[in-house]
Amino acid sequence: MSNPSLLILPGDGIGPEVMAEVRKVITWFGDARGLKFDVEEDLVGGAAYDAHGTPLHDDTMAKAQAADAVLLGAVGGPKYDALDFSVKPERGLLRLRKEMDLFANLRPAQCFDALADFSSLKRDVVTGLDIMIVRELTSGVYFGEPRGIFPDNEGGRVGINTQRYTTEEIRRVARAAFELARKRNNKLCSMEKANVMESGILWREEVQWVHDNEYSDVELSHMYADNGAMQLVRWPKQFDVIVTDNLFGDVLSDCAAMLTGSLGMLPSASLGAPMANGRPKAMYEPVHGSAPDITGQGKANPIACILSFAMALRYSFDEGEAATLLETAVQKVLAGGARTADLLGPQGGTAISTTEMGDAIVAALAASQ
Ligand code: NAD
């Protein structure tokens, strides 16, 4: 049997720097645990534009469609700011998400004990925090028609966006969230505004339908999204998995992410429908961008990208044990006091480089054997 395939797209700015550290981790799993991948690397974003005049070549798109999982670094940078919108680096990323139909965006908010003081909330509110927000990514108000800015009848203008969800769009993201809940603590909270929006009423009814007909073993609750925002900062540990629409998910996932401190720590996954081999279409990427202000200085924190690979192990390759091993190695390195510059905080201290952080994580993996 051939190895599972992984397409790596390092992208721009710090993307290649953090991805180089992920490559070390991938090599370690192959050598030490026999967990091998057929890895191919290609260009995306500004790097692809420089080489091909497009932020995503058709051949790369075809490779992404065929891969068991895609791992992306970051795209963009000031060099490309003046480009036409149609060839901007971000278009490469959007094309991948759209053509792979990655409708479920998973954003974990996990607080590493060693970094609990980085959160803007009190230590006891965030210590041990481990929740997952599932955001619908391909529909809702960001895509609904009609949309636009039009003249109104009083000589002014009117701006219109349309919130629109179909039964199937809601059911498929709900299923993804229920599946996740089953792999975690079996609890799902669905958030919408059913009190003021018809699309919210449909959302609530369809999530309930999926629960009653397919996932009645999972504990389901419903919450209005505004209350959800409040509860996330009041007592986030009450949640396990949260599922919500594109707009509310955009806001709530950023809010939850900040519970944990630094942008350099945040992984994400975007999942689509199952492929013929049963694995979901999937792309994994750190939440952060290309960080042009620190590019090429060895200051980038590779942990967000490394934890994105851990998500790939868990959600694409069913290697939950390997994922936990990697997450524990990260935890141990942080507990030992290793910090890239973004993790130093007001007390200061000595920062280690991107490469040193990657090496420390690989050493912690080796020590766990
Ligand atoms: P950014 O996430 O690149 O950086 C924001 C701040 O966080 C910067 O000060 C940066 O140095 C710091 N930072 C980010 N990642 C870090 C890491 N791993 N380690 C240490 N520090 C880190 O956001 P930005 O500055 O608004 O955008 C820069 C470029 O990235 C823009 O071109 C933007 O369009 C693009 N971008 C891309 C993505 C993506 O590829 N998914 C996401 C966001 C922004």
Side-chain angles (χ1 to χ4, degrees), residues 14 18 72-78 81 89-90 93 97 262-265 285-295 299-304 340-342:
I14 62 167
V18 294
L72 186 136
V75 297
D81 281 352
E90 290 75 9
L93 187 53
R97 287 181 184 155
S262 167
L263 201 50
M265 295 293 301
E285 54 183 312
V287 168
H288 63 72
S290 59
D293 54 332
I294 57 165
T295 297
K299 286 186 181 167
N301 182 353
I303 293 178
T340 41
D342 57 308

PDB file of all heavy atoms in Angstrom, residues 14 18 72-78 81 89-90 93 97 262-265 285-295 299-304 340-342, ligand 1:
ATOM      1  N   ILE A  14       6.957  34.367   6.204  1.00  0.00           N
ATOM      2  CA  ILE A  14       7.436  33.366   7.157  1.00  0.00           C
ATOM      3  C   ILE A  14       6.909  31.964   6.839  1.00  0.00           C
ATOM      4  O   ILE A  14       7.304  30.998   7.494  1.00  0.00           O
ATOM      5  CB  ILE A  14       7.081  33.721   8.628  1.00  0.00           C
ATOM      6  CG1 ILE A  14       5.561  33.779   8.828  1.00  0.00           C
ATOM      7  CG2 ILE A  14       7.766  35.008   9.058  1.00  0.00           C
ATOM      8  CD1 ILE A  14       5.137  33.820  10.294  1.00  0.00           C
ATOM      9  N   VAL A  18       8.422  28.598   8.729  1.00  0.00           N
ATOM     10  CA  VAL A  18       7.738  27.733   9.692  1.00  0.00           C
ATOM     11  C   VAL A  18       7.526  26.333   9.103  1.00  0.00           C
ATOM     12  O   VAL A  18       7.588  25.333   9.815  1.00  0.00           O
ATOM     13  CB  VAL A  18       6.400  28.345  10.197  1.00  0.00           C
ATOM     14  CG1 VAL A  18       6.661  29.602  10.999  1.00  0.00           C
ATOM     15  CG2 VAL A  18       5.422  28.642   9.073  1.00  0.00           C
ATOM     16  N   LEU A  72      -0.689  24.267   4.337  1.00  0.00           N
ATOM     17  CA  LEU A  72      -0.313  25.563   3.761  1.00  0.00           C
ATOM     18  C   LEU A  72       0.339  26.456   4.820  1.00  0.00           C
ATOM     19  O   LEU A  72      -0.071  26.429   5.987  1.00  0.00           O
ATOM     20  CB  LEU A  72      -1.571  26.223   3.200  1.00  0.00           C
ATOM     21  CG  LEU A  72      -1.378  27.532   2.433  1.00  0.00           C
ATOM     22  CD1 LEU A  72      -2.226  27.536   1.154  1.00  0.00           C
ATOM     23  CD2 LEU A  72      -1.757  28.742   3.284  1.00  0.00           C
ATOM     24  N   GLY A  73       1.358  27.228   4.405  1.00  0.00           N
ATOM     25  CA  GLY A  73       2.038  28.133   5.336  1.00  0.00           C
ATOM     26  C   GLY A  73       1.286  29.450   5.468  1.00  0.00           C
ATOM     27  O   GLY A  73       0.396  29.593   6.299  1.00  0.00           O
ATOM     28  N   ALA A  74       1.607  30.397   4.628  1.00  0.00           N
ATOM     29  CA  ALA A  74       0.906  31.692   4.639  1.00  0.00           C
ATOM     30  C   ALA A  74       1.137  32.349   3.293  1.00  0.00           C
ATOM     31  O   ALA A  74       2.111  32.044   2.599  1.00  0.00           O
ATOM     32  CB  ALA A  74       1.448  32.583   5.740  1.00  0.00           C
ATOM     33  N   VAL A  75       0.230  33.261   2.920  1.00  0.00           N
ATOM     34  CA  VAL A  75       0.409  33.966   1.646  1.00  0.00           C
ATOM     35  C   VAL A  75       0.336  35.466   1.866  1.00  0.00           C
ATOM     36  O   VAL A  75      -0.215  35.943   2.851  1.00  0.00           O
ATOM     37  CB  VAL A  75      -0.662  33.550   0.599  1.00  0.00           C
ATOM     38  CG1 VAL A  75      -0.546  32.083   0.254  1.00  0.00           C
ATOM     39  CG2 VAL A  75      -2.060  33.898   1.088  1.00  0.00           C
ATOM     40  N   GLY A  76       0.900  36.214   0.903  1.00  0.00           N
ATOM     41  CA  GLY A  76       0.772  37.667   0.921  1.00  0.00           C
ATOM     42  C   GLY A  76       2.042  38.379   1.322  1.00  0.00           C
ATOM     43  O   GLY A  76       3.038  37.763   1.678  1.00  0.00           O
ATOM     44  N   GLY A  77       1.985  39.697   1.209  1.00  0.00           N
ATOM     45  CA  GLY A  77       3.129  40.526   1.565  1.00  0.00           C
ATOM     46  C   GLY A  77       3.098  41.830   0.798  1.00  0.00           C
ATOM     47  O   GLY A  77       2.426  41.924  -0.239  1.00  0.00           O
ATOM     48  N   PRO A  78       3.809  42.838   1.291  1.00  0.00           N
ATOM     49  CA  PRO A  78       3.746  44.180   0.699  1.00  0.00           C
ATOM     50  C   PRO A  78       4.148  44.219  -0.767  1.00  0.00           C
ATOM     51  O   PRO A  78       3.638  45.029  -1.534  1.00  0.00           O
ATOM     52  CB  PRO A  78       4.729  44.996   1.545  1.00  0.00           C
ATOM     53  CG  PRO A  78       5.376  44.071   2.493  1.00  0.00           C
ATOM     54  CD  PRO A  78       4.677  42.758   2.468  1.00  0.00           C
ATOM     55  N   ASP A  81       1.036  44.054  -2.836  1.00  0.00           N
ATOM     56  CA  ASP A  81      -0.120  44.879  -2.483  1.00  0.00           C
ATOM     57  C   ASP A  81      -0.738  45.599  -3.680  1.00  0.00           C
ATOM     58  O   ASP A  81      -1.942  45.814  -3.719  1.00  0.00           O
ATOM     59  CB  ASP A  81       0.271  45.916  -1.408  1.00  0.00           C
ATOM     60  CG  ASP A  81       0.323  45.272  -0.016  1.00  0.00           C
ATOM     61  OD1 ASP A  81      -0.089  44.088   0.093  1.00  0.00           O
ATOM     62  OD2 ASP A  81       0.782  45.929   0.940  1.00  0.00           O
ATOM     63  N   PRO A  89      -2.056  37.353  -3.937  1.00  0.00           N
ATOM     64  CA  PRO A  89      -1.729  36.062  -3.313  1.00  0.00           C
ATOM     65  C   PRO A  89      -2.917  35.401  -2.628  1.00  0.00           C
ATOM     66  O   PRO A  89      -3.109  34.182  -2.727  1.00  0.00           O
ATOM     67  CB  PRO A  89      -0.664  36.449  -2.283  1.00  0.00           C
ATOM     68  CG  PRO A  89      -0.021  37.680  -2.839  1.00  0.00           C
ATOM     69  CD  PRO A  89      -1.088  38.415  -3.577  1.00  0.00           C
ATOM     70  N   GLU A  90      -3.773  36.208  -1.962  1.00  0.00           N
ATOM     71  CA  GLU A  90      -4.909  35.653  -1.216  1.00  0.00           C
ATOM     72  C   GLU A  90      -5.888  34.914  -2.127  1.00  0.00           C
ATOM     73  O   GLU A  90      -6.610  34.025  -1.682  1.00  0.00           O
ATOM     74  CB  GLU A  90      -5.654  36.777  -0.473  1.00  0.00           C
ATOM     75  CG  GLU A  90      -4.890  37.388   0.699  1.00  0.00           C
ATOM     76  CD  GLU A  90      -3.746  38.326   0.290  1.00  0.00           C
ATOM     77  OE1 GLU A  90      -3.626  38.658  -0.913  1.00  0.00           O
ATOM     78  OE2 GLU A  90      -2.965  38.715   1.184  1.00  0.00           O
ATOM     79  N   LEU A  93      -5.337  31.209  -2.124  1.00  0.00           N
ATOM     80  CA  LEU A  93      -5.910  30.550  -0.948  1.00  0.00           C
ATOM     81  C   LEU A  93      -7.428  30.386  -1.112  1.00  0.00           C
ATOM     82  O   LEU A  93      -7.987  29.312  -0.863  1.00  0.00           O
ATOM     83  CB  LEU A  93      -5.588  31.439   0.263  1.00  0.00           C
ATOM     84  CG  LEU A  93      -5.903  30.953   1.643  1.00  0.00           C
ATOM     85  CD1 LEU A  93      -5.310  29.593   1.879  1.00  0.00           C
ATOM     86  CD2 LEU A  93      -5.338  31.962   2.662  1.00  0.00           C
ATOM     87  N   ARG A  97      -9.779  26.910  -1.227  1.00  0.00           N
ATOM     88  CA  ARG A  97     -10.931  26.664  -0.340  1.00  0.00           C
ATOM     89  C   ARG A  97     -12.205  26.428  -1.143  1.00  0.00           C
ATOM     90  O   ARG A  97     -13.003  25.556  -0.819  1.00  0.00           O
ATOM     91  CB  ARG A  97     -11.142  27.866   0.584  1.00  0.00           C
ATOM     92  CG  ARG A  97     -10.102  27.981   1.675  1.00  0.00           C
ATOM     93  CD  ARG A  97     -10.411  29.190   2.536  1.00  0.00           C
ATOM     94  NE  ARG A  97      -9.404  29.411   3.554  1.00  0.00           N
ATOM     95  CZ  ARG A  97      -9.151  30.589   4.109  1.00  0.00           C
ATOM     96  NH1 ARG A  97      -9.830  31.653   3.759  1.00  0.00           N
ATOM     97  NH2 ARG A  97      -8.238  30.716   5.040  1.00  0.00           N
ATOM     98  N   SER A 262      -1.169  34.070  21.859  1.00  0.00           N
ATOM     99  CA  SER A 262      -0.436  34.538  20.676  1.00  0.00           C
ATOM    100  C   SER A 262      -0.910  33.937  19.355  1.00  0.00           C
ATOM    101  O   SER A 262      -1.230  32.752  19.256  1.00  0.00           O
ATOM    102  CB  SER A 262       1.040  34.207  20.851  1.00  0.00           C
ATOM    103  OG  SER A 262       1.706  34.380  19.633  1.00  0.00           O
ATOM    104  N   LEU A 263      -0.870  34.774  18.329  1.00  0.00           N
ATOM    105  CA  LEU A 263      -1.206  34.368  16.965  1.00  0.00           C
ATOM    106  C   LEU A 263      -0.275  33.253  16.464  1.00  0.00           C
ATOM    107  O   LEU A 263      -0.668  32.420  15.660  1.00  0.00           O
ATOM    108  CB  LEU A 263      -1.042  35.614  16.074  1.00  0.00           C
ATOM    109  CG  LEU A 263      -1.738  35.707  14.739  1.00  0.00           C
ATOM    110  CD1 LEU A 263      -3.208  35.368  14.843  1.00  0.00           C
ATOM    111  CD2 LEU A 263      -1.579  37.123  14.178  1.00  0.00           C
ATOM    112  N   GLY A 264       0.929  33.237  16.968  1.00  0.00           N
ATOM    113  CA  GLY A 264       1.902  32.226  16.544  1.00  0.00           C
ATOM    114  C   GLY A 264       1.609  30.827  17.067  1.00  0.00           C
ATOM    115  O   GLY A 264       2.367  29.884  16.807  1.00  0.00           O
ATOM    116  N   MET A 265       0.506  30.681  17.818  1.00  0.00           N
ATOM    117  CA  MET A 265       0.171  29.388  18.444  1.00  0.00           C
ATOM    118  C   MET A 265      -1.072  28.741  17.831  1.00  0.00           C
ATOM    119  O   MET A 265      -1.467  27.664  18.243  1.00  0.00           O
ATOM    120  CB  MET A 265      -0.117  29.599  19.935  1.00  0.00           C
ATOM    121  CG  MET A 265       1.052  30.068  20.757  1.00  0.00           C
ATOM    122  SD  MET A 265       2.333  28.825  20.888  1.00  0.00           S
ATOM    123  CE  MET A 265       1.435  27.479  21.659  1.00  0.00           C
ATOM    124  N   GLU A 285      -3.737  24.848   8.039  1.00  0.00           N
ATOM    125  CA  GLU A 285      -2.888  26.057   7.949  1.00  0.00           C
ATOM    126  C   GLU A 285      -2.896  26.808   9.269  1.00  0.00           C
ATOM    127  O   GLU A 285      -3.900  26.790   9.993  1.00  0.00           O
ATOM    128  CB  GLU A 285      -3.389  26.972   6.826  1.00  0.00           C
ATOM    129  CG  GLU A 285      -4.839  27.317   6.967  1.00  0.00           C
ATOM    130  CD  GLU A 285      -5.397  28.168   5.834  1.00  0.00           C
ATOM    131  OE1 GLU A 285      -4.770  29.178   5.477  1.00  0.00           O
ATOM    132  OE2 GLU A 285      -6.486  27.824   5.346  1.00  0.00           O
ATOM    133  N   PRO A 286      -1.794  27.491   9.585  1.00  0.00           N
ATOM    134  CA  PRO A 286      -1.824  28.353  10.754  1.00  0.00           C
ATOM    135  C   PRO A 286      -2.779  29.512  10.503  1.00  0.00           C
ATOM    136  O   PRO A 286      -3.017  29.881   9.351  1.00  0.00           O
ATOM    137  CB  PRO A 286      -0.382  28.856  10.865  1.00  0.00           C
ATOM    138  CG  PRO A 286       0.224  28.669   9.524  1.00  0.00           C
ATOM    139  CD  PRO A 286      -0.498  27.513   8.890  1.00  0.00           C
ATOM    140  N   VAL A 287      -3.310  30.080  11.590  1.00  0.00           N
ATOM    141  CA  VAL A 287      -4.247  31.202  11.440  1.00  0.00           C
ATOM    142  C   VAL A 287      -3.505  32.474  11.007  1.00  0.00           C
ATOM    143  O   VAL A 287      -4.050  33.317  10.302  1.00  0.00           O
ATOM    144  CB  VAL A 287      -4.999  31.428  12.783  1.00  0.00           C
ATOM    145  CG1 VAL A 287      -5.752  32.743  12.790  1.00  0.00           C
ATOM    146  CG2 VAL A 287      -5.949  30.263  13.046  1.00  0.00           C
ATOM    147  N   HIS A 288      -2.220  32.576  11.383  1.00  0.00           N
ATOM    148  CA  HIS A 288      -1.494  33.814  11.099  1.00  0.00           C
ATOM    149  C   HIS A 288      -1.183  33.983   9.610  1.00  0.00           C
ATOM    150  O   HIS A 288      -1.284  33.031   8.825  1.00  0.00           O
ATOM    151  CB  HIS A 288      -0.202  33.874  11.913  1.00  0.00           C
ATOM    152  CG  HIS A 288       0.797  32.798  11.590  1.00  0.00           C
ATOM    153  ND1 HIS A 288       1.519  32.765  10.423  1.00  0.00           N
ATOM    154  CD2 HIS A 288       1.198  31.707  12.302  1.00  0.00           C
ATOM    155  CE1 HIS A 288       2.330  31.721  10.429  1.00  0.00           C
ATOM    156  NE2 HIS A 288       2.152  31.044  11.545  1.00  0.00           N
ATOM    157  N   GLY A 289      -0.764  35.215   9.247  1.00  0.00           N
ATOM    158  CA  GLY A 289      -0.389  35.520   7.873  1.00  0.00           C
ATOM    159  C   GLY A 289       1.109  35.388   7.663  1.00  0.00           C
ATOM    160  O   GLY A 289       1.807  34.689   8.418  1.00  0.00           O
ATOM    161  N   SER A 290       1.611  36.113   6.649  1.00  0.00           N
ATOM    162  CA  SER A 290       2.999  35.932   6.232  1.00  0.00           C
ATOM    163  C   SER A 290       3.986  36.771   7.051  1.00  0.00           C
ATOM    164  O   SER A 290       5.195  36.689   6.832  1.00  0.00           O
ATOM    165  CB  SER A 290       3.125  36.283   4.750  1.00  0.00           C
ATOM    166  OG  SER A 290       2.722  37.628   4.558  1.00  0.00           O
ATOM    167  N   ALA A 291       3.478  37.591   7.966  1.00  0.00           N
ATOM    168  CA  ALA A 291       4.296  38.366   8.912  1.00  0.00           C
ATOM    169  C   ALA A 291       5.519  39.016   8.261  1.00  0.00           C
ATOM    170  O   ALA A 291       6.655  38.723   8.645  1.00  0.00           O
ATOM    171  CB  ALA A 291       4.719  37.473  10.093  1.00  0.00           C
ATOM    172  N   PRO A 292       5.297  39.913   7.306  1.00  0.00           N
ATOM    173  CA  PRO A 292       6.451  40.528   6.611  1.00  0.00           C
ATOM    174  C   PRO A 292       7.391  41.272   7.558  1.00  0.00           C
ATOM    175  O   PRO A 292       8.585  41.380   7.273  1.00  0.00           O
ATOM    176  CB  PRO A 292       5.808  41.500   5.614  1.00  0.00           C
ATOM    177  CG  PRO A 292       4.361  41.515   5.896  1.00  0.00           C
ATOM    178  CD  PRO A 292       4.015  40.357   6.756  1.00  0.00           C
ATOM    179  N   ASP A 293       6.856  41.743   8.693  1.00  0.00           N
ATOM    180  CA  ASP A 293       7.709  42.511   9.628  1.00  0.00           C
ATOM    181  C   ASP A 293       8.808  41.665  10.264  1.00  0.00           C
ATOM    182  O   ASP A 293       9.803  42.198  10.752  1.00  0.00           O
ATOM    183  CB  ASP A 293       6.848  43.189  10.719  1.00  0.00           C
ATOM    184  CG  ASP A 293       5.941  42.210  11.450  1.00  0.00           C
ATOM    185  OD1 ASP A 293       5.553  41.183  10.861  1.00  0.00           O
ATOM    186  OD2 ASP A 293       5.615  42.468  12.626  1.00  0.00           O
ATOM    187  N   ILE A 294       8.658  40.345  10.263  1.00  0.00           N
ATOM    188  CA  ILE A 294       9.703  39.510  10.889  1.00  0.00           C
ATOM    189  C   ILE A 294      10.287  38.479   9.917  1.00  0.00           C
ATOM    190  O   ILE A 294      11.099  37.641  10.308  1.00  0.00           O
ATOM    191  CB  ILE A 294       9.173  38.785  12.157  1.00  0.00           C
ATOM    192  CG1 ILE A 294       7.942  37.923  11.830  1.00  0.00           C
ATOM    193  CG2 ILE A 294       8.883  39.779  13.273  1.00  0.00           C
ATOM    194  CD1 ILE A 294       7.609  36.919  12.936  1.00  0.00           C
ATOM    195  N   THR A 295       9.872  38.557   8.653  1.00  0.00           N
ATOM    196  CA  THR A 295      10.341  37.572   7.665  1.00  0.00           C
ATOM    197  C   THR A 295      11.868  37.576   7.534  1.00  0.00           C
ATOM    198  O   THR A 295      12.488  38.641   7.518  1.00  0.00           O
ATOM    199  CB  THR A 295       9.701  37.861   6.287  1.00  0.00           C
ATOM    200  OG1 THR A 295       8.296  37.697   6.414  1.00  0.00           O
ATOM    201  CG2 THR A 295      10.217  36.901   5.222  1.00  0.00           C
ATOM    202  N   LYS A 299      12.632  34.816  13.564  1.00  0.00           N
ATOM    203  CA  LYS A 299      11.825  35.146  14.748  1.00  0.00           C
ATOM    204  C   LYS A 299      10.464  34.455  14.752  1.00  0.00           C
ATOM    205  O   LYS A 299       9.756  34.501  15.749  1.00  0.00           O
ATOM    206  CB  LYS A 299      11.569  36.653  14.785  1.00  0.00           C
ATOM    207  CG  LYS A 299      12.764  37.491  15.196  1.00  0.00           C
ATOM    208  CD  LYS A 299      12.314  38.942  15.318  1.00  0.00           C
ATOM    209  CE  LYS A 299      13.469  39.851  15.696  1.00  0.00           C
ATOM    210  NZ  LYS A 299      13.118  41.265  15.523  1.00  0.00           N
ATOM    211  N   ALA A 300      10.075  33.877  13.623  1.00  0.00           N
ATOM    212  CA  ALA A 300       8.717  33.324  13.530  1.00  0.00           C
ATOM    213  C   ALA A 300       8.545  32.126  14.450  1.00  0.00           C
ATOM    214  O   ALA A 300       9.432  31.280  14.565  1.00  0.00           O
ATOM    215  CB  ALA A 300       8.437  32.914  12.092  1.00  0.00           C
ATOM    216  N   ASN A 301       7.379  32.075  15.073  1.00  0.00           N
ATOM    217  CA  ASN A 301       7.032  30.931  15.912  1.00  0.00           C
ATOM    218  C   ASN A 301       6.455  29.838  15.001  1.00  0.00           C
ATOM    219  O   ASN A 301       5.427  30.053  14.357  1.00  0.00           O
ATOM    220  CB  ASN A 301       5.985  31.389  16.933  1.00  0.00           C
ATOM    221  CG  ASN A 301       5.579  30.298  17.882  1.00  0.00           C
ATOM    222  OD1 ASN A 301       5.970  29.148  17.711  1.00  0.00           O
ATOM    223  ND2 ASN A 301       4.794  30.642  18.883  1.00  0.00           N
ATOM    224  N   PRO A 302       7.077  28.664  14.940  1.00  0.00           N
ATOM    225  CA  PRO A 302       6.574  27.617  14.036  1.00  0.00           C
ATOM    226  C   PRO A 302       5.458  26.774  14.637  1.00  0.00           C
ATOM    227  O   PRO A 302       4.951  25.855  13.986  1.00  0.00           O
ATOM    228  CB  PRO A 302       7.822  26.758  13.809  1.00  0.00           C
ATOM    229  CG  PRO A 302       8.600  26.864  15.088  1.00  0.00           C
ATOM    230  CD  PRO A 302       8.317  28.247  15.646  1.00  0.00           C
ATOM    231  N   ILE A 303       5.063  27.070  15.898  1.00  0.00           N
ATOM    232  CA  ILE A 303       4.139  26.153  16.593  1.00  0.00           C
ATOM    233  C   ILE A 303       2.763  26.093  15.928  1.00  0.00           C
ATOM    234  O   ILE A 303       2.177  25.016  15.796  1.00  0.00           O
ATOM    235  CB  ILE A 303       4.036  26.509  18.095  1.00  0.00           C
ATOM    236  CG1 ILE A 303       5.383  26.240  18.780  1.00  0.00           C
ATOM    237  CG2 ILE A 303       2.923  25.712  18.774  1.00  0.00           C
ATOM    238  CD1 ILE A 303       5.425  26.586  20.263  1.00  0.00           C
ATOM    239  N   ALA A 304       2.226  27.238  15.462  1.00  0.00           N
ATOM    240  CA  ALA A 304       0.902  27.208  14.817  1.00  0.00           C
ATOM    241  C   ALA A 304       0.917  26.248  13.627  1.00  0.00           C
ATOM    242  O   ALA A 304      -0.033  25.488  13.410  1.00  0.00           O
ATOM    243  CB  ALA A 304       0.496  28.608  14.368  1.00  0.00           C
ATOM    244  N   THR A 340       9.814  31.548  21.577  1.00  0.00           N
ATOM    245  CA  THR A 340      10.174  32.440  20.472  1.00  0.00           C
ATOM    246  C   THR A 340       9.787  33.859  20.907  1.00  0.00           C
ATOM    247  O   THR A 340       9.063  34.038  21.894  1.00  0.00           O
ATOM    248  CB  THR A 340       9.414  32.040  19.185  1.00  0.00           C
ATOM    249  OG1 THR A 340       8.069  31.706  19.530  1.00  0.00           O
ATOM    250  CG2 THR A 340      10.083  30.870  18.495  1.00  0.00           C
ATOM    251  N   ALA A 341      10.253  34.864  20.144  1.00  0.00           N
ATOM    252  CA  ALA A 341      10.112  36.259  20.593  1.00  0.00           C
ATOM    253  C   ALA A 341       8.659  36.650  20.897  1.00  0.00           C
ATOM    254  O   ALA A 341       8.404  37.395  21.845  1.00  0.00           O
ATOM    255  CB  ALA A 341      10.689  37.188  19.532  1.00  0.00           C
ATOM    256  N   ASP A 342       7.709  36.131  20.100  1.00  0.00           N
ATOM    257  CA  ASP A 342       6.300  36.504  20.308  1.00  0.00           C
ATOM    258  C   ASP A 342       5.764  36.009  21.637  1.00  0.00           C
ATOM    259  O   ASP A 342       4.712  36.456  22.091  1.00  0.00           O
ATOM    260  CB  ASP A 342       5.440  35.948  19.159  1.00  0.00           C
ATOM    261  CG  ASP A 342       5.568  34.441  19.025  1.00  0.00           C
ATOM    262  OD1 ASP A 342       6.719  33.939  18.945  1.00  0.00           O
ATOM    263  OD2 ASP A 342       4.546  33.739  19.025  1.00  0.00           O
TER     264      ASP A 342
HETATM  265  P1  NAD B   1       0.111  38.501  10.194  1.00  0.00           P
HETATM  266  O1  NAD B   1      -0.632  37.377  10.825  1.00  0.00           O
HETATM  267  O2  NAD B   1       1.022  38.156   9.097  1.00  0.00           O
HETATM  268  O3  NAD B   1       0.945  39.297  11.327  1.00  0.00           O
HETATM  269  C1  NAD B   1       0.338  39.987  12.408  1.00  0.00           C
HETATM  270  C2  NAD B   1       1.372  40.183  13.515  1.00  0.00           C
HETATM  271  O4  NAD B   1       1.599  38.926  14.167  1.00  0.00           O
HETATM  272  C3  NAD B   1       2.735  40.641  12.998  1.00  0.00           C
HETATM  273  O5  NAD B   1       3.301  41.527  13.924  1.00  0.00           O
HETATM  274  C4  NAD B   1       3.534  39.371  12.916  1.00  0.00           C
HETATM  275  O6  NAD B   1       4.925  39.557  13.067  1.00  0.00           O
HETATM  276  C5  NAD B   1       2.959  38.545  14.064  1.00  0.00           C
HETATM  277  N1  NAD B   1       3.015  37.110  13.755  1.00  0.00           N
HETATM  278  C6  NAD B   1       2.229  36.432  12.880  1.00  0.00           C
HETATM  279  N2  NAD B   1       2.564  35.153  12.839  1.00  0.00           N
HETATM  280  C7  NAD B   1       3.597  34.993  13.683  1.00  0.00           C
HETATM  281  C8  NAD B   1       4.397  33.885  14.063  1.00  0.00           C
HETATM  282  N3  NAD B   1       4.197  32.658  13.553  1.00  0.00           N
HETATM  283  N4  NAD B   1       5.381  34.088  14.954  1.00  0.00           N
HETATM  284  C9  NAD B   1       5.605  35.291  15.489  1.00  0.00           C
HETATM  285  N5  NAD B   1       4.879  36.381  15.182  1.00  0.00           N
HETATM  286  C10 NAD B   1       3.884  36.240  14.284  1.00  0.00           C
HETATM  287  O7  NAD B   1      -0.993  39.548   9.684  1.00  0.00           O
HETATM  288  P2  NAD B   1      -0.789  40.904   8.857  1.00  0.00           P
HETATM  289  O8  NAD B   1       0.488  41.594   9.254  1.00  0.00           O
HETATM  290  O9  NAD B   1      -2.076  41.611   8.972  1.00  0.00           O
HETATM  291  O10 NAD B   1      -0.684  40.431   7.330  1.00  0.00           O
HETATM  292  C11 NAD B   1       0.555  40.228   6.652  1.00  0.00           C
HETATM  293  C12 NAD B   1       0.280  39.592   5.301  1.00  0.00           C
HETATM  294  O11 NAD B   1      -0.252  38.277   5.504  1.00  0.00           O
HETATM  295  C13 NAD B   1      -0.745  40.348   4.462  1.00  0.00           C
HETATM  296  O12 NAD B   1      -0.325  40.311   3.123  1.00  0.00           O
HETATM  297  C14 NAD B   1      -2.015  39.571   4.653  1.00  0.00           C
HETATM  298  O13 NAD B   1      -2.893  39.699   3.569  1.00  0.00           O
HETATM  299  C15 NAD B   1      -1.494  38.169   4.768  1.00  0.00           C
HETATM  300  N6  NAD B   1      -2.354  37.224   5.520  1.00  0.00           N
HETATM  301  C16 NAD B   1      -2.372  35.954   5.072  1.00  0.00           C
HETATM  302  C17 NAD B   1      -3.084  34.987   5.768  1.00  0.00           C
HETATM  303  C18 NAD B   1      -3.026  33.568   5.293  1.00  0.00           C
HETATM  304  O14 NAD B   1      -2.154  33.226   4.505  1.00  0.00           O
HETATM  305  N7  NAD B   1      -3.895  32.706   5.754  1.00  0.00           N
HETATM  306  C19 NAD B   1      -3.791  35.328   6.931  1.00  0.00           C
HETATM  307  C20 NAD B   1      -3.714  36.655   7.381  1.00  0.00           C
HETATM  308  C21 NAD B   1      -2.987  37.598   6.664  1.00  0.00           C
END
